Amino acid sequence: MVNFGDKLKTLRTEAGMTQTELAKRLSITKSVVSYYELQERTPSPDVLIQLADIFHVTTDYLLGIDHKKMIDVSDLSDEDMHFLLITIETLRKKNKK
């Protein structure tokens, strides 16, 4: 089982981000990010939500509850969202066959 610290480090490195860069985005110190990755500290719910937003994953994913990544659709129009929902439903129906 992958722990939170390993998952965070993997997400951070895949994003090409240093601990210092992540710390700045979270308004915390580099050492706190290091503590998270070493499993010596646990982030607050607010920081957990920020991490999920930064890496475009769910908080459940970060906590090991859900292994699926989410798709960031925050900058899409309502029309685009409608199109995506139709496409998703079509794919689900196709995959059930």
Side-chain angles (χ1 to χ4, degrees):
M1 173 184 243
V2 176
N3 69 35
F4 171 79
D6 291 339
K7 197 168 285 193
L8 177 59
K9 184 174 183 176
T10 298
L11 289 168
R12 179 181 57 74
T13 56
E14 284 177 353
M17 199 178 299
T18 65
Q19 287 183 343
T20 301
E21 291 167 334
L22 179 57
K24 284 180 184 177
R25 291 194 61 185
L26 296 170
S27 299
I28 60 176
T29 64
K30 176 195 174 294
S31 61
V32 172
V33 172
S34 178
Y35 289 141
Y36 292 160
E37 291 182 2
L38 294 171
Q39 289 282 119
E40 293 179 10
R41 285 195 187 169
T42 304
S44 69
D46 289 339
V47 171
L48 193 64
I49 291 167
Q50 286 179 291
L51 287 167
D53 186 48
I54 289 168
F55 296 116
H56 306 291
V57 298
T58 64
T59 53
D60 284 354
Y61 175 80
L62 290 171
L63 296 172
I65 298 169
D66 177 6
H67 300 290
K68 296 179 183 177
K69 290 188 175 185
M70 69 178 198
I71 299 171
D72 181 10
V73 295
S74 60
D75 59 343
L76 297 182
S77 69
D78 287 342
E79 184 179 328
D80 293 340
M81 288 295 298
H82 181 70
F83 174 77
L84 279 178
L85 291 172
I86 291 170
T87 303
I88 290 167
E89 279 306 309
T90 302
L91 290 171
R92 284 188 176 137
K93 287 176 184 175
K94 176 190 143 258
N95 289 331
K96 285 184 180 179
K97 293 180 180 180

